[in-house]
Amino acid sequence: MDKEIKAVANEFHTPTKAIVRKKIKFSSILTYTVLGIWAAVNIFPLYWMFTFSLKSNKEIFGDNIIGLPKEWLFSNYKNALTKGNMALYMLNSAIVTGITIILTLIIASMATYALTRLVWKGRKTVNNIIMLGLTIPIHAAILPVYLILDKLKMLNSYQALIIPYTAFGLAMSIMICNGFIVNIPKELDEAACIDGCSVYGIFFRIILPLMKPALSTVAIFTFLSCWNELMFANILIDDAKYRTISVGIQTLSGTHTTEWGPIGAALVIATFPTLILYSFMSTKIQKSLTAGAVKG
């Protein structure tokens, strides 16, 4: 009799497996629905830009703004690369961005090691001065930078962009590397020193390999800031031979009439390297951003 009473009580007081399964299923459906809507909202601009690049002016300003092109004009990409000189502008951007990334990674990694691991007089003061660079907007210094480069006869050259981009990117890069390197145990340095490693050996053999996630983050942030920068590239470069892709897209706009399809194609071409870079380096960036969040 007691067993029957307990069984009846359990039926009234504990949810059945079917109810639990329905709740879990409903929760999963709701979660995936919200995530699906959020993904669609974020992907839609890419879809619109791609379809925009394959349309004529008539379709873009007509009744087919969002839909797929009625006539797929792949010639827009050909016109952007040849008539619009986007191939040259993209090469210039690749040269400027690539050299800037290399210089930033070398200087930032070495400076961070010196500021965090080596003991020398005035290192905190130097670190504070470098961090002050975070408070200065890059475009607020356009006039003195222009005058300095003009005195040095560096305008209309790759150096006119590489030097300012590297200088203004160091503060953020050192801060990112600093947040990562402080979590590397100093016992590794001491053990390497006992084994006969010099300061340079400790840096290149121990510290630098462990800093790959942080350096990946620095690389992609530097890439985005250089690849998309417009103000410096527009003011410091007048010669079409050294124009970057951000300035080159502006030149596709005509004085009286504008073909918007090739402009859309140029935007797709300019966006594509960013998507490729992030797809290859996203895992290392996530590791860098979460480094030090959990200790133990």
Side-chain angles (χ1 to χ4, degrees), residues 186-205:
K186 291 186 177 181
E187 287 76 10
L188 293 176
D189 299 24
E190 297 171 356
C193 185
I194 292 173
D195 290 339
C197 267
S198 63
V199 173
Y200 298 102
I202 294 172
F203 174 72
F204 286 107
R205 296 182 182 180

Side-chain angles (χ1 to χ4, degrees), residues 104-105 107-109 111-112 115 127-138 164-181 211 213-225 288-289:
T104 303
L105 291 178
I107 298 173
S109 59
T112 305
L115 291 170
N127 184 66
N128 292 335
I129 293 173
I130 293 174
M131 290 301 106
L132 283 176
L134 295 172
T135 65
I136 302 174
I138 182 173
Y165 288 170
T166 303
F168 283 99
L170 282 177
M172 176 65 73
S173 302
I174 291 174
M175 186 184 70
I176 294 173
C177 292
N178 188 16
F180 186 87
I181 199 173
M211 289 180 63
L215 296 178
S216 299
T217 305
V218 170
I220 196 168
F221 283 167
T222 305
F223 174 86
L224 292 175
S225 63
S288 175
L289 294 177

